[in-house]
Amino acid sequence: MAAVLFEDVFSVAEVDMVKDPKDPSRKIKEKKFDKVSRILCHGENYQTELLLDINSEIYPIQETEKFEMVLAPTLSLDGRPDDGLYHPTGEPSLLDKFEYGMYGKIFKFSEELGKSVVYISFGGLLMALKGEPRIITPQSFEVDSGIYLLIRKL
């Protein structure tokens, strides 16, 4: 069985919303890059909060959509470690079950207001996942380790 570090279903709450510089209590829609959207999502099973940059040109996501997300250290179904490079061998992999995937590095793990937060960079596309320390642990999300993000819409 694949070594999955985290799995949940998320509902998209906001797409490309930022704080209004004139009134920080308000949010306004602002797209900083043509091909990238920043989405804010809420997890259904673990009450997590996800902030994720996604390539909206190849995988558009709208507010209120739901998707399943998995974070895993390998694409191998038997949990074998890999080198972080995609080698199309024809063997079944975890990626086969998903529509969108990225590989990145965990660059920060912190505790903020009683919640654990893991920060991951996927070649400049950023992710922050915030949740209960029993779910998001420093043992599972070790800084400088490689990780796959896999998504499929529901």
Side-chain angles (χ1 to χ4, degrees), residues 23-121:
D23 181 3
S25 66
R26 289 187 40 218
K27 288 190 172 186
I28 58 173
K29 194 154 196 94
E30 181 177 277
K31 190 161 176 76
K32 298 222 183 240
F33 301 101
D34 291 338
K35 299 176 183 180
V36 175
S37 286
R38 179 162 284 178
I39 59 174
L40 175 66
C41 311
H42 301 289
E44 292 185 357
N45 298 320
Y46 301 111
Q47 287 73 48
T48 51
E49 183 178 287
L50 173 69
L51 191 62
L52 177 65
D53 294 342
I54 196 160
N55 184 326
S56 55
E57 182 179 53
I58 61 172
Y59 200 73
I61 286 192
Q62 306 298 319
E63 287 179 14
T64 71
E65 280 190 301
K66 288 187 178 192
F67 62 89
E68 178 185 5
M69 184 187 79
V70 166
L71 296 173
T74 180
L75 293 176
S76 174
L77 291 176
D78 62 8
R80 277 189 329 259
D82 62 30
D83 58 7
L85 300 174
Y86 180 62
H87 302 285
T89 61
E91 289 182 29
S93 78
L94 195 55
L95 187 59
D96 296 336
K97 301 174 183 178
F98 293 88
E99 303 164 333
Y100 181 82
M102 296 190 288
Y103 180 78
K105 281 233 184 225
I106 300 170
F107 68 89
K108 183 178 176 184
F109 187 95
S110 67
E111 300 241 347
E112 299 172 9
L113 303 171
K115 302 277 185 178
S116 293
V117 186
V118 61
Y119 298 91
I120 304 171
S121 175

